[in-house]
Short mmCIF file of all heavy atoms in Angstrom, two decimals:
data_model
loop_
_atom_site.label_atom_id
_atom_site.label_comp_id
_atom_site.label_asym_id
_atom_site.label_seq_id
_atom_site.Cartn_x
_atom_site.Cartn_y
_atom_site.Cartn_z
N PHE F 1 59.57 -38.56 -1.52
CA PHE F 1 60.47 -37.88 -2.40
C PHE F 1 59.63 -36.90 -3.24
O PHE F 1 58.87 -37.41 -4.03
CB PHE F 1 61.23 -38.84 -3.21
CG PHE F 1 62.62 -38.36 -3.69
CD1 PHE F 1 63.50 -37.79 -2.84
CD2 PHE F 1 62.97 -38.53 -5.02
CE1 PHE F 1 64.77 -37.43 -3.27
CE2 PHE F 1 64.26 -38.18 -5.46
CZ PHE F 1 65.17 -37.62 -4.57
N ILE F 2 59.74 -35.59 -2.99
CA ILE F 2 58.91 -34.58 -3.69
C ILE F 2 59.81 -33.67 -4.44
O ILE F 2 60.72 -33.02 -3.88
CB ILE F 2 58.03 -33.84 -2.70
CG1 ILE F 2 57.08 -34.78 -1.98
CG2 ILE F 2 57.26 -32.76 -3.44
CD1 ILE F 2 56.26 -34.17 -0.87
N ARG F 3 59.56 -33.59 -5.82
CA ARG F 3 60.29 -32.55 -6.55
C ARG F 3 59.77 -31.19 -6.22
O ARG F 3 58.60 -30.98 -6.19
CB ARG F 3 60.10 -32.85 -8.04
CG ARG F 3 60.92 -31.90 -8.95
CD ARG F 3 60.85 -32.31 -10.38
NE ARG F 3 61.39 -31.31 -11.21
CZ ARG F 3 62.64 -31.28 -11.68
NH1 ARG F 3 63.49 -32.27 -11.34
NH2 ARG F 3 63.07 -30.33 -12.51
N MET F 4 60.74 -30.29 -5.96
CA MET F 4 60.36 -28.94 -5.55
C MET F 4 59.75 -28.16 -6.73
O MET F 4 60.15 -28.32 -7.84
CB MET F 4 61.58 -28.21 -4.98
CG MET F 4 62.07 -28.88 -3.74
SD MET F 4 63.60 -28.27 -3.11
CE MET F 4 63.11 -26.70 -2.48
N GLY F 5 58.79 -27.34 -6.43
CA GLY F 5 58.08 -26.57 -7.42
C GLY F 5 58.92 -25.43 -8.02
O GLY F 5 59.86 -24.98 -7.45
N SER F 6 58.41 -24.94 -9.16
CA SER F 6 59.04 -23.77 -9.81
C SER F 6 58.46 -22.54 -9.26
O SER F 6 57.25 -22.48 -8.98
CB SER F 6 58.77 -23.92 -11.27
OG SER F 6 59.17 -22.73 -11.92
N VAL F 7 59.25 -21.49 -9.12
CA VAL F 7 58.70 -20.24 -8.59
C VAL F 7 58.21 -19.28 -9.66
O VAL F 7 57.83 -18.21 -9.45
CB VAL F 7 59.74 -19.47 -7.73
CG1 VAL F 7 60.08 -20.27 -6.51
CG2 VAL F 7 60.98 -19.22 -8.50
N THR F 8 58.26 -19.76 -10.93
CA THR F 8 57.99 -18.87 -12.08
C THR F 8 56.50 -19.14 -12.59
O THR F 8 56.09 -18.43 -13.44
CB THR F 8 58.92 -19.07 -13.21
OG1 THR F 8 58.85 -20.40 -13.67
CG2 THR F 8 60.32 -18.72 -12.83
N HIS F 9 55.87 -20.17 -12.13
CA HIS F 9 54.52 -20.47 -12.59
C HIS F 9 53.60 -20.88 -11.48
O HIS F 9 53.97 -21.45 -10.47
CB HIS F 9 54.59 -21.68 -13.58
CG HIS F 9 55.36 -21.40 -14.84
ND1 HIS F 9 56.74 -21.52 -14.85
CD2 HIS F 9 54.98 -20.97 -16.02
CE1 HIS F 9 57.17 -21.24 -16.09
NE2 HIS F 9 56.14 -20.83 -16.81
N ALA F 10 52.30 -20.49 -11.60
CA ALA F 10 51.31 -20.88 -10.62
C ALA F 10 50.97 -22.36 -10.71
O ALA F 10 50.64 -23.01 -9.69
CB ALA F 10 50.09 -20.06 -10.78
N PHE F 11 51.11 -22.94 -11.87
CA PHE F 11 50.81 -24.39 -12.11
C PHE F 11 52.11 -25.02 -12.61
O PHE F 11 52.58 -24.64 -13.72
CB PHE F 11 49.68 -24.57 -13.02
CG PHE F 11 49.38 -26.00 -13.27
CD1 PHE F 11 48.71 -26.80 -12.31
CD2 PHE F 11 49.74 -26.66 -14.42
CE1 PHE F 11 48.42 -28.14 -12.50
CE2 PHE F 11 49.46 -27.95 -14.65
CZ PHE F 11 48.81 -28.71 -13.70
N ASP F 12 52.72 -25.85 -11.85
CA ASP F 12 54.06 -26.47 -12.22
C ASP F 12 53.85 -27.91 -12.56
O ASP F 12 53.71 -28.75 -11.73
CB ASP F 12 54.99 -26.30 -11.10
CG ASP F 12 56.37 -26.68 -11.43
OD1 ASP F 12 56.68 -27.08 -12.56
OD2 ASP F 12 57.25 -26.65 -10.52
N GLN F 13 53.96 -28.19 -13.92
CA GLN F 13 53.82 -29.61 -14.38
C GLN F 13 54.99 -30.45 -14.00
O GLN F 13 54.88 -31.69 -14.14
CB GLN F 13 53.55 -29.61 -15.83
CG GLN F 13 52.24 -28.98 -16.24
CD GLN F 13 51.97 -29.02 -17.67
OE1 GLN F 13 52.79 -29.35 -18.48
NE2 GLN F 13 50.78 -28.70 -18.11
N ALA F 14 56.15 -29.88 -13.60
CA ALA F 14 57.30 -30.66 -13.28
C ALA F 14 57.28 -31.18 -11.79
O ALA F 14 58.05 -32.03 -11.42
CB ALA F 14 58.59 -29.86 -13.55
N GLN F 15 56.38 -30.60 -11.01
CA GLN F 15 56.34 -31.05 -9.61
C GLN F 15 55.76 -32.45 -9.50
O GLN F 15 54.79 -32.80 -10.23
CB GLN F 15 55.49 -30.11 -8.78
CG GLN F 15 55.63 -30.34 -7.30
CD GLN F 15 54.96 -29.26 -6.50
OE1 GLN F 15 54.04 -28.61 -6.94
NE2 GLN F 15 55.40 -29.10 -5.28
N ARG F 16 56.32 -33.31 -8.66
CA ARG F 16 55.83 -34.68 -8.54
C ARG F 16 56.10 -35.24 -7.16
O ARG F 16 57.03 -34.81 -6.48
CB ARG F 16 56.47 -35.52 -9.64
CG ARG F 16 58.01 -35.52 -9.61
CD ARG F 16 58.63 -36.12 -10.84
NE ARG F 16 58.43 -35.27 -11.98
CZ ARG F 16 58.36 -35.73 -13.18
NH1 ARG F 16 58.57 -36.97 -13.45
NH2 ARG F 16 58.15 -34.93 -14.19
N LEU F 17 55.37 -36.30 -6.85
CA LEU F 17 55.55 -37.06 -5.60
C LEU F 17 55.94 -38.45 -5.95
O LEU F 17 55.23 -39.11 -6.80
CB LEU F 17 54.30 -37.08 -4.78
CG LEU F 17 54.13 -38.04 -3.60
CD1 LEU F 17 55.19 -37.65 -2.54
CD2 LEU F 17 52.78 -38.10 -3.07
N LEU F 18 57.02 -38.96 -5.45
CA LEU F 18 57.52 -40.32 -5.75
C LEU F 18 57.70 -41.11 -4.46
O LEU F 18 58.62 -40.89 -3.70
CB LEU F 18 58.82 -40.28 -6.44
CG LEU F 18 58.87 -39.51 -7.81
CD1 LEU F 18 60.29 -39.27 -8.23
CD2 LEU F 18 58.12 -40.36 -8.83
N PRO F 19 56.78 -41.99 -4.14
CA PRO F 19 57.02 -43.00 -3.03
C PRO F 19 58.23 -43.84 -3.38
O PRO F 19 58.38 -44.33 -4.52
CB PRO F 19 55.77 -43.77 -2.96
CG PRO F 19 54.72 -43.07 -3.73
CD PRO F 19 55.46 -42.30 -4.78
N LEU F 20 59.13 -44.05 -2.44
CA LEU F 20 60.35 -44.78 -2.68
C LEU F 20 60.35 -46.09 -1.91
O LEU F 20 59.79 -46.17 -0.84
CB LEU F 20 61.57 -43.97 -2.28
CG LEU F 20 61.77 -42.65 -3.00
CD1 LEU F 20 62.92 -41.95 -2.39
CD2 LEU F 20 61.96 -42.79 -4.42
N ASN F 21 60.95 -47.16 -2.50
CA ASN F 21 61.22 -48.36 -1.76
C ASN F 21 62.40 -48.15 -0.82
O ASN F 21 63.33 -47.40 -1.14
CB ASN F 21 61.47 -49.55 -2.73
CG ASN F 21 60.30 -49.83 -3.58
OD1 ASN F 21 59.17 -49.86 -3.11
ND2 ASN F 21 60.54 -50.13 -4.85
N PHE F 22 62.34 -48.86 0.30
CA PHE F 22 63.39 -48.67 1.30
C PHE F 22 63.60 -49.95 2.06
O PHE F 22 62.78 -50.84 2.07
CB PHE F 22 63.11 -47.54 2.25
CG PHE F 22 61.93 -47.81 3.15
CD1 PHE F 22 62.13 -48.35 4.41
CD2 PHE F 22 60.61 -47.57 2.74
CE1 PHE F 22 61.01 -48.63 5.23
CE2 PHE F 22 59.54 -47.80 3.57
CZ PHE F 22 59.74 -48.33 4.80
N SER F 23 64.72 -50.04 2.70
CA SER F 23 65.05 -51.14 3.66
C SER F 23 65.65 -50.57 4.89
O SER F 23 66.47 -49.55 4.76
CB SER F 23 65.91 -52.23 3.03
OG SER F 23 67.10 -51.65 2.63
N ALA F 24 65.39 -51.08 6.07
CA ALA F 24 65.93 -50.58 7.32
C ALA F 24 66.70 -51.71 7.99
O ALA F 24 66.30 -52.88 7.97
CB ALA F 24 64.88 -50.09 8.19
N SER F 25 67.82 -51.37 8.63
CA SER F 25 68.57 -52.33 9.41
C SER F 25 69.53 -51.58 10.40
O SER F 25 70.20 -50.67 10.02
CB SER F 25 69.44 -53.24 8.52
OG SER F 25 70.42 -52.51 7.77
N ALA F 26 69.58 -52.01 11.64
CA ALA F 26 70.48 -51.46 12.64
C ALA F 26 70.75 -50.01 12.58
O ALA F 26 71.88 -49.53 12.38
CB ALA F 26 71.80 -52.28 12.59
N GLY F 27 69.70 -49.19 12.68
CA GLY F 27 69.93 -47.72 12.66
C GLY F 27 70.22 -47.14 11.30
O GLY F 27 70.72 -45.97 11.28
N LYS F 28 70.02 -47.89 10.21
CA LYS F 28 70.40 -47.42 8.97
C LYS F 28 69.13 -47.57 7.99
O LYS F 28 68.46 -48.56 8.16
CB LYS F 28 71.58 -48.28 8.38
CG LYS F 28 72.06 -47.87 7.00
CD LYS F 28 73.18 -48.79 6.64
CE LYS F 28 73.54 -48.55 5.20
NZ LYS F 28 74.65 -49.47 4.78
N LEU F 29 68.93 -46.60 7.10
CA LEU F 29 67.86 -46.64 6.18
C LEU F 29 68.41 -46.46 4.75
O LEU F 29 69.19 -45.54 4.51
CB LEU F 29 66.87 -45.53 6.48
CG LEU F 29 65.54 -45.55 5.68
CD1 LEU F 29 64.70 -46.71 6.02
CD2 LEU F 29 64.79 -44.21 5.92
N SER F 30 68.08 -47.36 3.89
CA SER F 30 68.58 -47.30 2.53
C SER F 30 67.30 -47.15 1.64
O SER F 30 66.38 -47.90 1.79
CB SER F 30 69.32 -48.56 2.11
OG SER F 30 70.44 -48.72 2.86
N VAL F 31 67.32 -46.15 0.75
CA VAL F 31 66.26 -45.96 -0.17
C VAL F 31 66.73 -46.20 -1.61
O VAL F 31 67.81 -46.06 -1.92
CB VAL F 31 65.73 -44.49 -0.06
CG1 VAL F 31 65.11 -44.28 1.27
CG2 VAL F 31 66.76 -43.47 -0.44
N THR F 32 65.75 -46.63 -2.42
CA THR F 32 66.01 -46.94 -3.86
C THR F 32 65.34 -45.92 -4.66
O THR F 32 64.07 -45.85 -4.66
CB THR F 32 65.55 -48.36 -4.21
OG1 THR F 32 66.09 -49.26 -3.33
CG2 THR F 32 65.88 -48.68 -5.67
N LEU F 33 66.11 -45.15 -5.45
CA LEU F 33 65.52 -44.13 -6.36
C LEU F 33 65.02 -44.77 -7.65
O LEU F 33 65.59 -45.83 -8.08
CB LEU F 33 66.59 -43.03 -6.68
CG LEU F 33 67.05 -42.29 -5.50
CD1 LEU F 33 68.26 -41.37 -5.89
CD2 LEU F 33 65.92 -41.46 -4.90
N PRO F 34 64.13 -44.16 -8.29
CA PRO F 34 63.68 -44.70 -9.60
C PRO F 34 64.87 -44.74 -10.59
O PRO F 34 65.74 -43.88 -10.58
CB PRO F 34 62.65 -43.67 -10.10
CG PRO F 34 62.25 -42.96 -8.88
CD PRO F 34 63.43 -42.93 -7.95
N GLY F 35 64.92 -45.76 -11.40
CA GLY F 35 66.01 -45.98 -12.28
C GLY F 35 65.93 -45.20 -13.63
O GLY F 35 66.85 -45.11 -14.40
N ARG F 36 64.73 -44.59 -13.86
CA ARG F 36 64.51 -43.91 -15.11
C ARG F 36 64.46 -42.42 -14.88
O ARG F 36 63.73 -41.93 -13.97
CB ARG F 36 63.25 -44.39 -15.82
CG ARG F 36 63.34 -45.85 -16.17
CD ARG F 36 62.15 -46.29 -16.98
NE ARG F 36 60.93 -45.83 -16.37
CZ ARG F 36 59.78 -46.54 -16.26
NH1 ARG F 36 59.79 -47.72 -16.81
NH2 ARG F 36 58.74 -46.06 -15.70
N ARG F 37 65.14 -41.65 -15.72
CA ARG F 37 65.17 -40.20 -15.54
C ARG F 37 63.84 -39.56 -15.86
O ARG F 37 63.63 -38.38 -15.36
CB ARG F 37 66.25 -39.54 -16.43
CG ARG F 37 67.65 -39.92 -15.97
CD ARG F 37 68.68 -39.37 -16.89
NE ARG F 37 68.86 -37.96 -16.58
CZ ARG F 37 70.00 -37.43 -16.15
NH1 ARG F 37 70.98 -38.26 -15.90
NH2 ARG F 37 70.08 -36.19 -15.91
N ASN F 38 62.94 -40.19 -16.56
CA ASN F 38 61.69 -39.57 -16.84
C ASN F 38 60.75 -39.63 -15.63
O ASN F 38 59.82 -38.85 -15.49
CB ASN F 38 60.97 -40.19 -18.04
CG ASN F 38 60.70 -41.61 -17.89
OD1 ASN F 38 61.33 -42.36 -17.07
ND2 ASN F 38 59.66 -42.15 -18.53
N LEU F 39 60.99 -40.53 -14.64
CA LEU F 39 60.27 -40.62 -13.43
C LEU F 39 60.78 -39.58 -12.39
O LEU F 39 60.07 -39.03 -11.62
CB LEU F 39 60.31 -42.00 -12.83
CG LEU F 39 59.57 -43.10 -13.59
CD1 LEU F 39 59.72 -44.41 -12.97
CD2 LEU F 39 58.11 -42.73 -13.78
N ALA F 40 62.13 -39.38 -12.39
CA ALA F 40 62.77 -38.51 -11.45
C ALA F 40 63.83 -37.76 -12.15
O ALA F 40 65.04 -38.05 -12.11
CB ALA F 40 63.39 -39.28 -10.23
N PRO F 41 63.48 -36.65 -12.87
CA PRO F 41 64.42 -35.88 -13.57
C PRO F 41 65.45 -35.23 -12.61
O PRO F 41 65.03 -34.95 -11.45
CB PRO F 41 63.67 -34.88 -14.42
CG PRO F 41 62.27 -34.92 -13.85
CD PRO F 41 62.10 -36.18 -13.11
N PRO F 42 66.59 -34.88 -13.06
CA PRO F 42 67.55 -34.16 -12.14
C PRO F 42 66.98 -32.84 -11.62
O PRO F 42 66.22 -32.17 -12.31
CB PRO F 42 68.77 -33.87 -13.09
CG PRO F 42 68.63 -34.83 -14.22
CD PRO F 42 67.19 -35.11 -14.37
N GLY F 43 67.37 -32.51 -10.43
CA GLY F 43 66.96 -31.30 -9.83
C GLY F 43 66.78 -31.42 -8.33
O GLY F 43 67.10 -32.46 -7.74
N PRO F 44 66.26 -30.39 -7.66
CA PRO F 44 66.12 -30.43 -6.20
C PRO F 44 64.83 -31.14 -5.80
O PRO F 44 63.79 -31.01 -6.44
CB PRO F 44 66.05 -28.95 -5.81
CG PRO F 44 65.50 -28.25 -7.04
CD PRO F 44 66.01 -29.09 -8.20
N TYR F 45 64.93 -31.94 -4.74
CA TYR F 45 63.79 -32.71 -4.16
C TYR F 45 63.82 -32.53 -2.68
O TYR F 45 64.84 -32.23 -2.05
CB TYR F 45 63.93 -34.20 -4.51
CG TYR F 45 63.67 -34.56 -5.94
CD1 TYR F 45 64.64 -34.38 -6.92
CD2 TYR F 45 62.49 -35.08 -6.33
CE1 TYR F 45 64.45 -34.72 -8.27
CE2 TYR F 45 62.23 -35.45 -7.67
CZ TYR F 45 63.19 -35.22 -8.58
OH TYR F 45 62.96 -35.53 -9.87
N LEU F 46 62.65 -32.73 -2.04
CA LEU F 46 62.51 -32.85 -0.61
C LEU F 46 62.36 -34.29 -0.23
O LEU F 46 61.51 -34.96 -0.83
CB LEU F 46 61.40 -32.00 -0.06
CG LEU F 46 61.57 -30.57 0.01
CD1 LEU F 46 60.29 -29.81 0.31
CD2 LEU F 46 62.61 -30.25 1.12
N LEU F 47 63.15 -34.83 0.65
CA LEU F 47 63.04 -36.21 1.09
C LEU F 47 62.45 -36.27 2.46
O LEU F 47 62.92 -35.58 3.39
CB LEU F 47 64.44 -36.88 1.10
CG LEU F 47 64.47 -38.33 1.62
CD1 LEU F 47 63.72 -39.26 0.70
CD2 LEU F 47 65.94 -38.81 1.69
N PHE F 48 61.32 -37.02 2.60
CA PHE F 48 60.66 -37.13 3.92
C PHE F 48 60.62 -38.62 4.29
O PHE F 48 60.55 -39.49 3.44
CB PHE F 48 59.18 -36.68 3.81
CG PHE F 48 59.01 -35.20 3.53
CD1 PHE F 48 58.93 -34.69 2.30
CD2 PHE F 48 58.96 -34.35 4.65
CE1 PHE F 48 58.76 -33.43 2.01
CE2 PHE F 48 58.78 -32.95 4.38
CZ PHE F 48 58.71 -32.49 3.11
N ILE F 49 60.72 -38.89 5.59
CA ILE F 49 60.47 -40.24 6.13
C ILE F 49 59.10 -40.13 6.80
O ILE F 49 58.93 -39.28 7.64
CB ILE F 49 61.55 -40.68 7.04
CG1 ILE F 49 62.85 -40.73 6.31
CG2 ILE F 49 61.23 -42.02 7.70
CD1 ILE F 49 64.03 -41.04 7.18
N VAL F 50 58.14 -41.04 6.55
CA VAL F 50 56.87 -41.07 7.13
C VAL F 50 56.79 -42.24 8.05
O VAL F 50 57.04 -43.40 7.70
CB VAL F 50 55.76 -41.11 6.07
CG1 VAL F 50 54.39 -41.11 6.69
CG2 VAL F 50 55.92 -39.96 5.07
N ASN F 51 56.36 -41.98 9.36
CA ASN F 51 56.25 -43.11 10.29
C ASN F 51 55.03 -43.91 10.13
O ASN F 51 54.17 -43.59 9.24
CB ASN F 51 56.42 -42.57 11.77
CG ASN F 51 55.26 -41.83 12.25
OD1 ASN F 51 54.14 -41.80 11.68
ND2 ASN F 51 55.43 -41.10 13.34
N GLY F 52 54.79 -44.92 10.92
CA GLY F 52 53.64 -45.84 10.82
C GLY F 52 52.31 -45.12 11.02
O GLY F 52 51.26 -45.63 10.64
N ASN F 53 52.30 -43.95 11.66
CA ASN F 53 51.09 -43.20 11.90
C ASN F 53 50.85 -42.19 10.81
O ASN F 53 49.94 -41.41 10.89
CB ASN F 53 51.14 -42.52 13.23
CG ASN F 53 51.14 -43.47 14.39
OD1 ASN F 53 50.49 -44.52 14.36
ND2 ASN F 53 51.90 -43.16 15.42
N GLY F 54 51.72 -42.18 9.79
CA GLY F 54 51.56 -41.22 8.66
C GLY F 54 52.06 -39.82 8.95
O GLY F 54 51.83 -38.90 8.25
N VAL F 55 52.90 -39.71 10.00
CA VAL F 55 53.50 -38.42 10.33
C VAL F 55 54.84 -38.28 9.63
O VAL F 55 55.75 -39.10 9.84
CB VAL F 55 53.68 -38.26 11.87
CG1 VAL F 55 54.30 -36.91 12.20
CG2 VAL F 55 52.32 -38.41 12.57
N PRO F 56 55.02 -37.19 8.80
CA PRO F 56 56.29 -37.04 8.09
C PRO F 56 57.37 -36.41 8.96
O PRO F 56 57.02 -35.64 9.87
CB PRO F 56 55.89 -36.19 6.92
CG PRO F 56 54.75 -35.37 7.45
CD PRO F 56 53.99 -36.26 8.36
N SER F 57 58.57 -36.65 8.57
CA SER F 57 59.71 -36.03 9.26
C SER F 57 59.86 -34.58 8.66
O SER F 57 59.17 -34.24 7.77
CB SER F 57 61.04 -36.83 9.00
OG SER F 57 61.31 -36.71 7.54
N VAL F 58 60.79 -33.82 9.17
CA VAL F 58 61.21 -32.62 8.59
C VAL F 58 61.88 -32.97 7.23
O VAL F 58 62.70 -33.91 7.19
CB VAL F 58 62.18 -31.83 9.45
CG1 VAL F 58 62.72 -30.58 8.77
CG2 VAL F 58 61.51 -31.47 10.76
N GLY F 59 61.47 -32.28 6.20
CA GLY F 59 62.04 -32.59 4.81
C GLY F 59 63.51 -32.20 4.74
O GLY F 59 63.90 -31.19 5.26
N ARG F 60 64.26 -32.98 4.01
CA ARG F 60 65.68 -32.67 3.72
C ARG F 60 65.79 -32.39 2.26
O ARG F 60 65.40 -33.23 1.43
CB ARG F 60 66.53 -33.85 4.23
CG ARG F 60 68.02 -33.55 3.96
CD ARG F 60 68.84 -34.52 4.71
NE ARG F 60 70.19 -34.13 4.51
CZ ARG F 60 71.07 -34.09 5.54
NH1 ARG F 60 70.76 -34.33 6.70
NH2 ARG F 60 72.32 -33.70 5.25
N ILE F 61 66.40 -31.26 1.95
CA ILE F 61 66.64 -30.99 0.50
C ILE F 61 67.72 -31.83 -0.02
O ILE F 61 68.83 -31.99 0.51
CB ILE F 61 66.95 -29.45 0.34
CG1 ILE F 61 65.78 -28.61 0.75
CG2 ILE F 61 67.29 -29.18 -1.17
CD1 ILE F 61 66.02 -27.15 0.73
N THR F 62 67.44 -32.48 -1.19
CA THR F 62 68.39 -33.36 -1.86
C THR F 62 68.48 -32.93 -3.33
O THR F 62 67.46 -32.78 -3.96
CB THR F 62 67.84 -34.81 -1.71
OG1 THR F 62 67.66 -35.13 -0.40
CG2 THR F 62 68.87 -35.82 -2.39
N LEU F 63 69.71 -32.90 -3.85
CA LEU F 63 69.88 -32.55 -5.26
C LEU F 63 70.16 -33.86 -6.06
O LEU F 63 71.15 -34.57 -5.75
CB LEU F 63 71.01 -31.61 -5.42
CG LEU F 63 71.27 -31.11 -6.84
CD1 LEU F 63 70.07 -30.42 -7.39
CD2 LEU F 63 72.50 -30.20 -6.90
N LEU F 64 69.29 -34.23 -6.93
CA LEU F 64 69.39 -35.42 -7.78
C LEU F 64 70.13 -34.99 -9.04
O LEU F 64 69.70 -34.11 -9.78
CB LEU F 64 68.01 -36.00 -8.03
CG LEU F 64 67.95 -37.28 -8.83
CD1 LEU F 64 68.71 -38.38 -8.01
CD2 LEU F 64 66.57 -37.71 -9.00
N ARG F 65 71.17 -35.63 -9.30
CA ARG F 65 71.99 -35.30 -10.56
C ARG F 65 71.86 -36.37 -11.59
O ARG F 65 71.72 -37.42 -11.46
CB ARG F 65 73.41 -35.14 -10.21
CG ARG F 65 73.66 -33.95 -9.28
CD ARG F 65 75.07 -33.73 -8.98
NE ARG F 65 75.14 -32.70 -8.04
CZ ARG F 65 76.16 -31.85 -7.90
NH1 ARG F 65 77.16 -32.02 -8.68
NH2 ARG F 65 76.18 -30.92 -7.01
#
């Protein structure tokens, strides 16, 4: 879960990477987002799934409210 960067600054202090806990069952994947807004403030994020070899999926844009 990666917070998307700002286009107005060369150095963006709001950008962050958040590894998420997850559980998988029968073709379904459930992820648990951080419970505190200071860890994951509202805004656009890219969600990736990384396989056992460390290869990420295509990112999906997600809006956290």
